[in-house]
């Protein structure tokens, strides 16, 4: 029997599992941080964690609230200047997966973390790029973790902070080739309802529904007519061990799962 | 060289002028809240504040009215949410704070160009994003080798850069371990540099390990000895990040009144950092002390 | 990750191919003569050798016929004079060795551009000099901010970079103190990386002081444990530069015959570096040991 | 009474004395190295020595044969990457004096250290720029130390490795201004025969003759009609202490003074 779990917990667990087999992961602030730290303790113990703060090979003894926490430094393989981290590790092409959160995403995986509304007179001022724009362009592939809602999964994002598949796969492939980008763009979006991959057209496609989530709820929380796999899988529920890691080790105060 | 040791009050009074571009750098690590608070106490005006991550320190400074503009790449309270004071003056129909926005690498590249006296720095960011249209200082530049276009950012040369560090000598030779951020680049790019340290050390301590020096006294104007000057940020090996403070700041900064009350209680009515640490209390302070993780020793060798 | 420890013979055989661009870097400090000698023993051909200061190691390699081209910025025996073997094939009416020439900063900038995947790197050198006309790869680029022109150098991406270091773990996490040169940049720019170390250390030794790591195992293909592998260059804290060797090389390299005899005696007829060190003799070796100058310890703190 | 001394010793001593009052000196390979180390022990004990190898604030316990010797590291203020040394210290404008040697120099202080003869088919292949081209452009002023001869002090240098006053002071000032150079160019040339400064036209002018040197020897060892101060001073002879430092401490084997 499996314990009850929240949608946030399912999302984090599903995101962590997607990292199985990945070698070098660039860890973004917020939800990516807990998902990657869970993966490191479960499916990808050998995965190297890279933090934009300038850390390669981090072994955080606790879940860092920020991505510049002292626990990512002590016992790490290397601490570098941010110049070196961004220039040699990221732009140099050494990152396999860049893991991002987002405020808005469109069907092609283009991301907005800058403003809601007009740029000059925003309704909501969001954090901005940070390293996200660089991660989206330079990481070999991009994973996204975010909650679905009609305000976040939108037909048209208010500001393109981080490019995804641009206007579609063909368009994106041409531009990436012409401009010498190393990355192949977004490959998975994990939400509180399911797991989306990108199809041949470069569009998000729902491949797995989390336990309890329905196609109806997916449609209600999305601003376009979504593509869905003919027979979406059901995401396996979190295991007791995954839940224990989240609840006891990683986020005992429920900062990420509230 | 003679000693540059100064009080924070004198250092800020002498080196920070109204209208200056000021960079209090440090990526999560080593953020000089003490310098920010002294700037608030001295009621500096019209500052342009540069920082990759404006963080709580700039939220406090913006709330206190010292800033007219931010140059930045990520505007938030890491892992917690937004910065209330900054949001109040940047959202809605009549923003009262000017924003000049880059990505992290763009900001780092700006400081690097400033430090290296380069007219621009090329990076592969910004393609197919809306950032160049939001910020016309992000401009394309063509490779002279016929292999396409990259974006450039312009040099950023702060009037004053403030760096918190584990230790420095009296002449300002400064050593840091743990996250390095872009403090080195921001310091070399600046006209004036204030170094704030946990500990003043003898010249010989610095010279015993020259590879740890990130800033030479040559470019330093004042050395302020201010233990706990980075709280609620942290100092690797000395004290932990006070995450509780960052979480507590969220509801405070959502209210203009609560923010002003906080500034009065924790900044304006205190004389200096020592008073702040005393007010913080020994229990809070000791709860932030880490265990020991020694680096080990390496040998440089004597060569006569 | 599994161990990458290999013999020098296997590392060179597996990773260096005829026609490759090879960078054995290290500015005076940490020059891998051991790798250069193994390349000579294995009779590699048509190499393009990149290095700021070709130094005695490339003089030996050129004499041995492994190179077709040099990419460099300063061609000499520092403090002593010229490099005889290289002069013989670069002077006079029919030079037999191709030269591609920059300044030091130009070379460093080339590696930096290579490591950072940039199409070019801008620097303020070369104006009003004859270098751009001698090397058409040095090209002007206009600042997109309307403030004039600077010169650009193109990225340099060696097929193989060899770095000698004080220590590394078995997976290649590499630490250096003392002069850093541009080994980091040259390693990140390369397709394959060979690290040669004085000492193999446990992972925990590296992780106890992550700020000293210059190269992560991520980009390393082989770790060769070869004490004294840098002689007659030096390793800070381990052994001194053998200046007598550099002085002695001058008359040797002036004669093609003496050079060939030296290569036979000290390279071709020896199996490996251990044999070289044995031949050097315990007296020479012990005369190069420095006194001790410990760095001191810093504390990273335990944060749970 | 002063001991006998060689022309090389006089040249090194005179060059060292020119450094009195300087704060930050970038030390070139060869003769500059011994002159600067002598100055540090005599007229400029507070002077910061910068080595292109990546050292600021060196305190060499012995005279380094190369400029990358381990003795410049132990006890130094800072060791940096070469990128940082060239980008932030030199190009960033922190060097007061760059001290160079040269194979050829012209009347305007333009320097050749690259080739004698044609570039593609040289009679003599010299070391090349190293950091010299960067020092000449970025150091606030440039000092040169070299022996005079008809082959080295020439009407026209075979290759311009490091710019001096270009075609003359006016021309140089305009170009330096237009291109945003931080340096003011060459300010002194110390030879085995005397001390040259640069006049208002940007040309070398002999201001001091070393003891024993004559105007005739100066003319014999120079490829143009030299300007001379109306009444050149006589360089004070090396003191016993200066000679002791050279002979006992700095260069006991006579590498630089042979």
């Amino acid at each position: 029997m499996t314990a009850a779990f929240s949608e946030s917990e399912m999302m984090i667990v599903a995101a962590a599992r997607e990292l199985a087999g990945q070698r070098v992961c660039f860890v973004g602030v917020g939800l990516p941080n807990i998902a990657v730290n869970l993966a490191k303790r479960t499916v990808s113990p050998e995965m190297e964690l890279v933090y934009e703060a300038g850390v390669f090979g981090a072994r955080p003894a606790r879940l860092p609230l920020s991505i510049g926490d002292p626990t990512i430094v002590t016992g790490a393989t290397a601490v570098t200047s941010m110049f070196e981290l961004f220039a040699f590790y990221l732009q140099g092409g050494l990152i396999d997966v860049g893991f991002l959160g987002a405020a808005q995403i469109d069907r092609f995986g283009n991301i907005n973390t800058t403003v809601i509304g007009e740029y000059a007179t925003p309704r909501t001022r969001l954090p901005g790029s940070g390293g996200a724009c660089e991660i989206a362009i330079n990481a070999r592939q991009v994973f996204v973790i975010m909650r679905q809602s009609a305000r976040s999964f939108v037909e048209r994002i208010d500001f393109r902070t981080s490019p995804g598949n641009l206007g579609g796969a063909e368009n994106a492939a041409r531009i990436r080739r012409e401009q010498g980008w190393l990355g192949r763009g977004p490959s998975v979006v994990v939400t509180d309802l399911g797991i989306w991959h990108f199809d041949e057209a470069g569009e998000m496609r729902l491949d797995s529904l989390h336990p309890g989530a329905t196609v109806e709820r997916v449609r209600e929380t999305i601003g376009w007519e979504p593509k869905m796999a003919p027979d979406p899988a059901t995401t396996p529920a979190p295991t007791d061990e995954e839940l224990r890691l989240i609840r006891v080790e990683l986020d005992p105060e429920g900062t990420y799962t509230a | 060289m003679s000693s540059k040791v100064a009080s924070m009050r004198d250092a800020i009074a002498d080196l920070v002028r109204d209208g200056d571009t000021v960079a209090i750098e440090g990526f999560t690590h080593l953020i000089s809240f003490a310098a920010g608070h002294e700037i608030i106490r001295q009621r500096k005006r019209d500052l342009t504040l540069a920082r990759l991550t404006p963080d709580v320190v700039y939220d406090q400074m913006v709330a206190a009215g010292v800033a007219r503009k931010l140059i930045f790449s990520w505007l938030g309270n890491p892992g917690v949410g937004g910065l209330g004071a900054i949001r109040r003056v940047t959202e809605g129909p009549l923003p009262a704070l000017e924003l000049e926005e880059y990505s992290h690498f763009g900001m780092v590249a700006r400081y690097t160009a400033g430090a290296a006296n380069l007219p621009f720095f090329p990076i592969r960011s910004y393609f197919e994003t809306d950032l160049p249209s939001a910020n016309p200082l992000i401009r394309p530049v063509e490779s002279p080798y016929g292999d396409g276009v990259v974006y450039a950012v312009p040099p950023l040369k702060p009037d004053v850069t403030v760096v918190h560090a584990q230790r420095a000598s009296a002449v300002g030779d400064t050593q840091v371990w743990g996250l390095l951020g872009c403090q080195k680049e921001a310091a070399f790019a600046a006209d004036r540099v204030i170094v704030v340290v946990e500990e003043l050390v003898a010249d010989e301590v610095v010279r015993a390990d020259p590879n740890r020096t990130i800033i030479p006294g040559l470019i330093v104007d004042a050395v302020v000895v201010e233990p706990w000057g980075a709280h609620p940020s942290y100092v690797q090996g000395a004290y932990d990040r006070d995450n509780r403070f960052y979480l507590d700041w969220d509801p405070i900064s959502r209210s203009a009144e609560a923010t002003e009350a906080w500034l009065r209680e924790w900044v304006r009515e205190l004389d200096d950092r020592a008073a702040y640490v005393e007010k913080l209390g020994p229990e809070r302070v000791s709860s932030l002390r880490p265990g020991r993780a020694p680096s080990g020793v390496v040998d440089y060798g004597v060569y006569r």
Side-chain angles (χ1 to χ4, degrees), chain A residues 68 119 122 125 130 134 160, chain B residues 73 91-92 101 103 128 130 234:
Chain A
Y119 181 77
R125 175 66 229 194
E134 276 95 26
R160 193 193 284 168
Chain B
S73 46
E91 290 177 350
E101 178 164 11
S103 58
E128 303 290 333
D130 290 328
Y234 74 97

Side-chain angles (χ1 to χ4, degrees), chain A residues 29 52-53 55 62 65-66 68-70 73-74 79-83 86-87 91 114 119-125 127-131 133-134 137 159-161 163 166 175 179 181, chain B residues 27-28 52 72-75 78-79 87 90-93 95 99 101 103-106 108 112 121 123-131 134 178-179 181 185 234 236 240-241 243 293:
Chain A
V29 67
E52 65 187 15
V55 177
R62 65 185 182 201
L65 177 67
S66 82
D69 192 273
V73 166
T74 305
V79 174
T80 75
S81 69
M82 288 184 77
F83 178 81
F86 276 95
Q91 194 170 270
T114 302
Y119 181 77
T121 54
R123 281 202 307 285
T124 306
R125 175 66 229 194
S129 166
C133 156
E134 276 95 26
I137 287 174
F159 189 96
R160 193 193 284 168
T161 314
L166 307 170
I175 288 173
Q179 291 176 348
W181 294 6
Chain B
F27 194 88
T28 316
L52 270 63
F72 73 100
S73 46
W74 195 87
L75 194 56
R87 286 186 63 173
T90 54
E91 290 177 350
L99 298 184
E101 178 164 11
S103 58
H104 279 348
F105 194 28
V108 171
T112 304
F121 201 96
I123 61 178
R124 287 193 179 272
S125 311
Y126 305 131
F127 280 104
E128 303 290 333
T129 75
D130 290 328
L131 283 155
L179 298 181
E185 292 82 356
Y234 74 97
Q236 192 81 35
D240 201 351
R241 188 166 190 267
N243 288 327

Side-chain angles (χ1 to χ4, degrees), chain A:
Chain A
M1 200 197 98
T2 305
F5 53 89
S6 71
E7 286 180 344
S8 291
E9 286 170 336
M10 182 71 253
M11 170 172 64
I12 291 162
V13 165
R17 290 176 188 156
E18 289 285 319
L19 287 166
Q22 298 294 342
R23 200 165 63 121
V24 183
C25 180
F26 197 108
V27 189
V29 67
L31 286 167
N33 192 15
I34 185 167
V36 173
N37 273 275
L38 179 60
K40 177 88 177 159
R41 285 163 172 76
T42 52
V43 293
S44 279
E46 297 291 305
M47 186 169 65
E48 303 282 8
L49 308 191
V50 180
Y51 284 87
E52 65 187 15
V55 177
F56 174 79
R59 285 188 178 169
R62 65 185 182 201
L63 181 69
L65 177 67
S66 82
I67 50 172
D69 192 273
T71 198
I72 66 172
V73 166
T74 305
T77 301
V79 174
T80 75
S81 69
M82 288 184 77
F83 178 81
E84 188 182 328
L85 200 286
F86 276 95
F88 300 169
Y89 286 80
L90 184 53
Q91 194 170 270
L94 298 176
I95 306 299
D96 295 325
V97 179
F99 211 136
L100 298 175
Q104 284 185 330
I105 193 167
D106 68 17
R107 70 179 70 207
F108 297 116
N110 300 298
I111 285 175
N112 173 23
T113 54
T114 302
V115 287
I116 305 295
E118 289 294 313
Y119 181 77
T121 54
R123 281 202 307 285
T124 306
R125 175 66 229 194
L126 301 165
S129 166
C133 156
E134 276 95 26
I135 293 170
I137 287 174
N138 296 299
R140 300 287 169 168
Q141 50 180 322
V142 174
F143 285 21
V144 181
I145 178 170
M146 62 188 292
R147 294 184 178 87
Q148 278 187 224
S149 79
R151 289 190 309 177
S152 61
F153 276 58
V154 295
E155 176 66 32
R156 196 180 300 271
I157 58 178
D158 292 1
F159 189 96
R160 193 193 284 168
T161 314
S162 307
N165 284 329
L166 307 170
E170 214 172 303
N171 173 243
R174 183 180 52 76
I175 288 173
R176 287 176 183 273
R177 194 175 54 245
E178 282 174 8
Q179 291 176 348
W181 294 6
L182 297 172
R184 296 189 305 274
S187 68
V188 61
V189 180
V190 178
T191 75
D192 46 345
L193 301 182
I195 302 171
W196 305 73
H197 295 101
F198 288 81
D199 69 8
E200 288 184 0
E203 273 194 60
M204 282 169 59
R205 181 192 60 218
L206 185 75
D207 282 341
S208 187
L209 269 173
H210 297 333
T214 61
V215 167
E216 290 64 43
R217 268 207 61 214
V218 168
R219 286 189 198 279
E220 286 163 21
T221 55
I222 200 163
W224 67 87
E225 176 56 37
K227 290 189 177 177
M228 303 207 186
D231 188 11
T234 300
T235 314
T239 65
D240 291 349
E241 174 61 6
E242 286 165 335
L243 290 174
R244 188 193 68 77
L245 284 166
I246 291 176
R247 293 173 184 175
V248 180
E249 283 195 23
L250 293 172
D251 191 21
E253 298 186 21
T255 309
Y256 293 96
T257 50

Side-chain angles (χ1 to χ4, degrees), chain B residues 36 70 78 99 103 107 111 114 118-119 134 155 184-185 243 273-274 283 289 292:
Chain B
L70 291 184
L99 298 184
S103 58
M107 281 293 284
Y111 286 130
L118 282 172
K184 178 185 284 188
E185 292 82 356
N243 288 327
R273 197 64 178 178
E283 204 176 326
R289 296 257 187 224
R292 283 182 51 79

